[in-house]
Amino acid sequence: MRTVLVLNGPNLGRLGSREPEVYGTQTLADLERDCAATAAELGLAIDFRQTDDEAQLLAWVHEAADRRLPIVLNPAAFTHYSYALHDALAMRTAPLVEVHLSNPATREVFRHTSVVASVADGTVAGFGVLSYQLALRAIAALAEQTGG
Ligand code: CA2
C-alpha cells in the first residue's frame, strides 16, 4: 500500500485549543484520525507528523525525497518565509500538495505569499479538515497518473 507523508508545521499541535473560528474545533489527533480514514478509502496509508522545528521538517522532506514518498504538507507559518523549505521541496521525487485549514488569501497580507506553492503540484486551502481530505484525493489521483 502506498504511504503518504502528512506533514504539519509549527503550532498545529495546538489545534482545537484556540481560534476555533479560524482553525475549527478539531485537535491534531482528530485530524490524524480523519486523514487515516480518508486514506484507507483511497487505498493509501498515511504517516502523520507535526513539528515546530524547521530543521526537523527539512529532514522529513529529505526523507520523503529519498524514499519517493508523496507529501501532503501544511507548512503553517513556514509557508510564508522559509526559503530553506522551498529549496528542500524543490528536490522532491513524488507528488506534493500544499494544504491549509484556513484561506490565507483572505487573511493578513503576510499570509498572501506562499514560498511553497511554486514547488507544489497544487494547493488546497480554506476548507478546514476537508482541505486535507481533498489533498489526499489529489495525491491518489497524481500517484495513479504517474504510475506511483
Ligand atoms: O490555515 C492554515 O492551515 C495555516 O497553515 C495555519 C498556520 C498559519 O500560519 C498559516 O498562515 C495558515 C498557523 C497554525 C497555527 O495553529 C494554531 C492552532 C491552534 C491555535 C492557534 C493556532
Side-chain angles (χ1 to χ4, degrees):
M1 190 182 278
R2 180 107 204 206
T3 298
V4 180
L5 284 188
V6 182
L7 303 181
N8 296 279
N11 297 310
L12 286 164
R14 310 286 292 171
L15 269 184
S17 65
R18 295 179 43 232
E19 299 188 66
E21 67 289 356
V22 180
Y23 298 117
T25 54
Q26 294 213 14
T27 65
L28 195 70
D30 295 332
L31 182 57
E32 178 173 2
R33 269 191 293 277
D34 198 88
C35 285
T38 300
E41 282 172 25
L42 295 166
L44 300 169
I46 57 162
D47 186 342
F48 190 98
R49 307 178 189 179
Q50 187 274 330
T51 183
D52 293 336
D53 180 347
E54 188 176 18
Q56 177 64 81
L57 189 57
L58 297 182
W60 289 342
V61 170
H62 297 160
E63 176 192 340
D66 291 344
R67 297 174 60 196
R68 301 194 171 279
L69 297 179
I71 306 175
V72 169
L73 172 63
N74 186 342
F78 292 149
T79 306
H80 312 302
Y81 66 89
S82 175
Y83 299 120
L85 182 59
H86 168 100
D87 287 349
L89 291 167
M91 294 185 264
R92 69 190 173 82
T93 55
L96 165 67
V97 177
E98 176 185 354
V99 69
H100 298 282
L101 293 160
S102 68
N103 182 356
T106 64
R107 302 181 62 198
E108 302 95 320
V109 169
F110 78 87
R111 296 187 204 276
H112 297 183
T113 297
S114 169
V115 301
V116 168
S118 64
V119 287
D121 289 295
T123 301
V124 186
F127 301 108
V129 171
L130 178 61
S131 292
Y132 283 70
Q133 295 175 2
L134 295 170
L136 284 164
R137 289 192 184 278
I139 289 282
L142 289 167
E144 190 119 323
Q145 279 167 25
T146 56

